[in-house]
Amino acid sequence: MAQNNIHNLVTLIKRLEAATTRLEDIASSTIELPQAVPALTATVATPSRPSSVASPTPQQPASAPSPVVRSQEPQEPLPESIEEFDAFIDQSVDKYVRASNKLGGLIAEQASKVLEGFKQQRRFLLISTKARKPDITGSEMVVYQELLKPINEALMAVGSIKESNRGSPVFSQLSAVAEGIMVLAWVTVESRPFKHVEESLGSAQFFGNRVLKEHKDKDPDQVEWVQSFYQVFRDLADYVKQYFPNGIPWNAQGLPAAEVAKSLDSSSAASAAAPPPPPPAAGGAPPPPPPGPPPVLQIKEQPASSKPEGMGAVFSELNKGESVTKGLRKVDKSEMTHKNPSLRAGSVVGDSSARGKSPAPGKKPKPESMRVKKPPKKELDGNKWTIENFDKHPTPIEIEAEMSHSILISRCNQTTIIVKGKANAVTIENTQRLSLVIDSLVSTVDVVKSSNFALQVLGTLPTILLDQLDGAQVYLSKESTSTRIFSSKSAGINVNVLSGPDDDYKEIPLPSQICSYYDEEKGDMVNEIVDHAG
């Protein structure tokens, strides 16, 4: 009877163990444990039971928790114009930046600012596709200026690199980029902005062609750099013609520009944030707790001193009167040098060389006779004639000018120049014994820092400007007798006009001495030309 009771008890224990094991399996398969703590998902070993009690049903392994799938919001597709602008930056602008990095130095630094300017322009274009145009005549003018501010900052950075390195050997390269960076302003042009891009290319070519001419057969990297910079303008002009032929249209049904700009900035900041670290492997130790917040620095701001400084402090002390000497102490006789020769012998006079030296006078420019003579030059660059460094040329120098041409004559001595046709203007500087013959001009002849100058006008000339001249002869035709002559700091100027029945030249000197006095009745200064009767 006892043996049957023991058998029933063993059977009951086995059934209870099987039911318990089954319940554990069901619980482990239905409850999902958090993945962030892998120790909770590990199988816990059950202590072994006595050998007399055997488990009839083997324990089933716990099922692994299913991974959590996070849904990603689909990104809004970019407009075609923005995609093409990205391609323009990745191809044309990036090629110019790589060529600049190959040269290095200031050129590479300036190219990085150019790239930043185009990136900020891309942000401006993206905003214009989602926002309506701000009212630049009303309260939204500030919003419009804030949208353009990053572009303007990049533009100013490019120009400051050029201005702060005027003595650099790559100044022509820096000037070419600084002149062409104004192309970024095409987004503000409402009518045919591609014309602004083409004009900016012309500005950049003024200095860029100098670089090409100087390094044409010497440095192929410089030539490649200039060509890549020119290609940026050509590709940008094609892009603007295709997508913005009449300016930026904006989005009439869009949101306010300030809201769109704010949303773009917040989204870019969120995308730039670091992704969360991946979960550790199963069975490893739990991750350490995150570090605490950084300590807050308690910076005590010192209030601005209300005490006067400099000469103001001296006068404020003097204004105290007798109280100015309250802080002084009486000197003992043992400390007086005039009563103790031993103190005078041990005293040390301060070194006068420690005082700040006065700045040295600036170097005067070398006289013309000591300067290195450059080769003569006669060149037409676009619409500008340049004639310089001709000295005692045996034959007259003739040029065929057009109405759009301007002429610069510099450092030409004892030379005759003949301008045929009707030009725009002539500028002359630093010449001696130069003779100029012109047919007609649209505007002026401007002569600066010259001596013994001669000018003959065959046709018409509206204005002559003479500044710092020492001796000049001007011959006017009948058509140019109404020419206005402005002179300053000049002497020995004679004007010859045709008069009389035989059309002979009559010489008329221009005044160089003026008498000035104050007229009490008029209440003003009176200036009179001084005539010398011979």
Side-chain angles (χ1 to χ4, degrees):
M1 183 68 179
Q3 186 176 2
N4 292 336
N5 292 335
I6 293 174
H7 177 74
N8 293 335
L9 181 60
V10 171
T11 303
L12 180 61
I13 291 174
K14 289 182 179 180
R15 294 179 61 185
L16 290 173
E17 289 179 350
T20 302
T21 304
R22 179 61 178 166
L23 290 174
E24 290 177 353
D25 293 342
I26 294 174
S28 63
S29 62
T30 56
I31 301 176
E32 180 181 345
L33 298 178
Q35 290 183 343
V37 188
L40 297 179
T41 62
T43 305
V44 180
T46 305
S48 59
R49 295 180 178 84
S51 57
S52 61
V53 181
S55 176
T57 307
Q59 185 176 359
Q60 297 181 1
S63 61
S66 58
V68 180
V69 179
R70 299 179 180 180
S71 60
Q72 296 183 354
E73 297 181 359
Q75 295 183 354
E76 183 180 355
L78 292 174
E80 183 181 356
S81 59
I82 305 301
E83 291 181 350
E84 288 297 323
F85 196 79
D86 290 340
F88 160 72
I89 294 178
D90 295 339
Q91 297 174 8
S92 300
V93 181
D94 184 65
K95 182 179 179 181
Y96 155 69
V97 172
R98 283 188 280 106
S100 302
N101 294 335
K102 192 174 182 181
L103 298 177
L106 295 172
I107 297 178
E109 180 183 355
Q110 196 180 42
S112 65
K113 303 299 181 183
V114 174
L115 177 60
E116 179 64 22
F118 279 109
K119 288 183 178 179
Q120 295 298 336
Q121 195 170 77
R122 189 255 189 198
R123 172 181 175 272
F124 182 88
L125 294 175
L126 181 59
I127 293 175
S128 69
T129 60
K130 300 181 178 181
R132 58 176 179 265
K133 184 177 181 179
D135 183 12
I136 60 177
T137 60
S139 59
E140 293 183 332
M141 181 63 183
V142 178
V143 177
Y144 188 69
Q145 291 176 347
E146 286 296 325
L147 296 180
L148 294 174
K149 184 178 179 180
I151 301 177
N152 188 48
E153 289 177 349
L155 188 147
M156 298 299 294
V158 171
S160 64
I161 293 177
K162 168 214 167 185
E163 294 298 333
S164 58
N165 296 278
R166 284 189 169 273
S168 173
V170 294
F171 181 71
S172 295
Q173 290 87 330
L174 301 180
S175 299
V177 179
E179 293 293 331
I181 194 61
M182 290 303 298
V183 71
L184 294 177
W186 72 266
V187 293
T188 62
V189 180
E190 296 183 354
S191 176
R192 302 202 299 175
F194 61 88
K195 286 291 184 181
H196 176 78
V197 179
E198 295 172 353
E199 292 173 0
S200 301
L201 174 59
S203 301
Q205 285 177 334
F206 182 79
F207 288 97
N209 290 345
R210 289 186 182 181
V211 179
L212 284 177
K213 185 177 180 181
E214 182 179 354
H215 300 279
K216 185 176 182 181
D217 299 324
K218 299 177 183 179
D219 192 348
D221 292 339
Q222 292 279 359
V223 177
E224 179 186 359
W225 176 84
V226 175
Q227 296 297 348
S228 65
F229 185 57
Y230 287 173
Q231 193 61 38
V232 171
F233 293 86
R234 299 187 182 101
D235 293 345
L236 181 60
D238 295 339
Y239 168 81
V240 176
K241 286 180 183 178
Q242 181 177 358
Y243 292 99
F244 305 101
N246 297 315
I248 298 178
W250 296 82
N251 188 349
Q253 306 298 327
L255 299 173
E259 295 182 10
V260 176
K262 186 176 180 180
S263 64
L264 285 180
D265 293 340
S266 61
S267 62
S268 61
S271 62
V296 180
L297 298 178
Q298 299 287 343
I299 301 177
K300 296 182 179 180
E301 296 184 357
Q302 297 182 355
S305 176
S306 60
K307 296 182 179 180
E309 299 179 356
M311 293 302 296
V314 176
F315 287 111
S316 64
E317 292 292 332
L318 294 177
N319 291 333
K320 292 181 179 180
E322 295 181 356
S323 60
V324 72
T325 60
K326 284 185 177 180
L328 301 179
R329 70 179 181 88
K330 186 175 182 180
V331 180
D332 191 73
K333 292 183 179 180
S334 61
E335 298 176 352
M336 297 180 181
T337 56
H338 64 283
K339 293 186 178 182
N340 294 278
S342 59
L343 292 179
R344 291 198 301 268
S347 62
V348 180
V349 180
D351 186 7
S352 61
S353 63
R355 294 179 300 172
K357 296 182 179 180
S358 59
K363 293 183 178 180
K364 294 182 179 180
K366 293 182 179 180
E368 292 290 337
S369 59
M370 296 181 62
R371 293 183 181 179
V372 179
K373 292 186 177 180
K374 297 181 180 180
K377 178 182 178 182
K378 174 188 173 184
E379 180 182 58
L380 176 61
D381 186 4
N383 293 329
K384 183 177 181 181
W385 277 99
T386 302
I387 304 173
E388 58 185 5
N389 303 322
F390 283 93
D391 192 5
K392 298 180 181 179
H393 199 265
T395 59
I397 301 173
E398 297 183 0
I399 60 174
E400 297 289 341
E402 298 178 1
M403 189 174 297
S404 60
H405 289 174
S406 60
I407 303 169
L408 172 63
I409 303 173
S410 177
R411 293 186 176 88
C412 294
N413 302 323
Q414 301 183 30
T415 304
T416 301
I417 299 176
I418 301 175
V419 180
K420 296 183 177 180
K422 189 172 185 178
N424 188 359
V426 177
T427 302
I428 302 170
E429 61 177 7
N430 298 318
T431 63
Q432 293 180 1
R433 297 187 180 277
L434 174 71
S435 299
L436 176 64
V437 181
I438 62 173
D439 285 347
S440 296
L441 289 183
V442 176
S443 56
T444 63
V445 170
D446 190 357
V447 189
V448 182
K449 294 182 181 179
S450 300
S451 61
N452 297 324
F453 171 70
L455 170 64
Q456 183 177 5
V457 183
L458 303 179
T460 58
L461 174 62
T463 309
I464 300 176
L465 304 177
L466 306 177
D467 185 16
Q468 303 180 47
L469 259 68
D470 184 11
Q473 293 287 338
V474 180
Y475 296 88
L476 300 177
S477 64
K478 284 189 175 182
E479 293 82 0
S480 59
T481 52
S482 60
T483 299
R484 293 182 175 270
I485 303 175
F486 298 87
S487 61
S488 61
K489 299 181 182 179
S490 303
I493 302 175
N494 296 319
V495 180
N496 297 268
V497 296
L498 295 173
S499 65
D502 298 332
D503 289 340
D504 294 330
Y505 276 107
K506 178 183 178 181
E507 187 178 75
I508 304 173
L510 293 187
S512 58
Q513 188 175 7
I514 298 176
C515 175
S516 302
Y517 62 91
Y518 179 75
D519 192 337
E520 293 184 358
E521 295 181 357
K522 296 181 178 179
D524 199 358
M525 293 295 296
V526 177
N527 302 312
E528 295 180 350
I529 298 173
V530 177
D531 293 332
H532 296 277

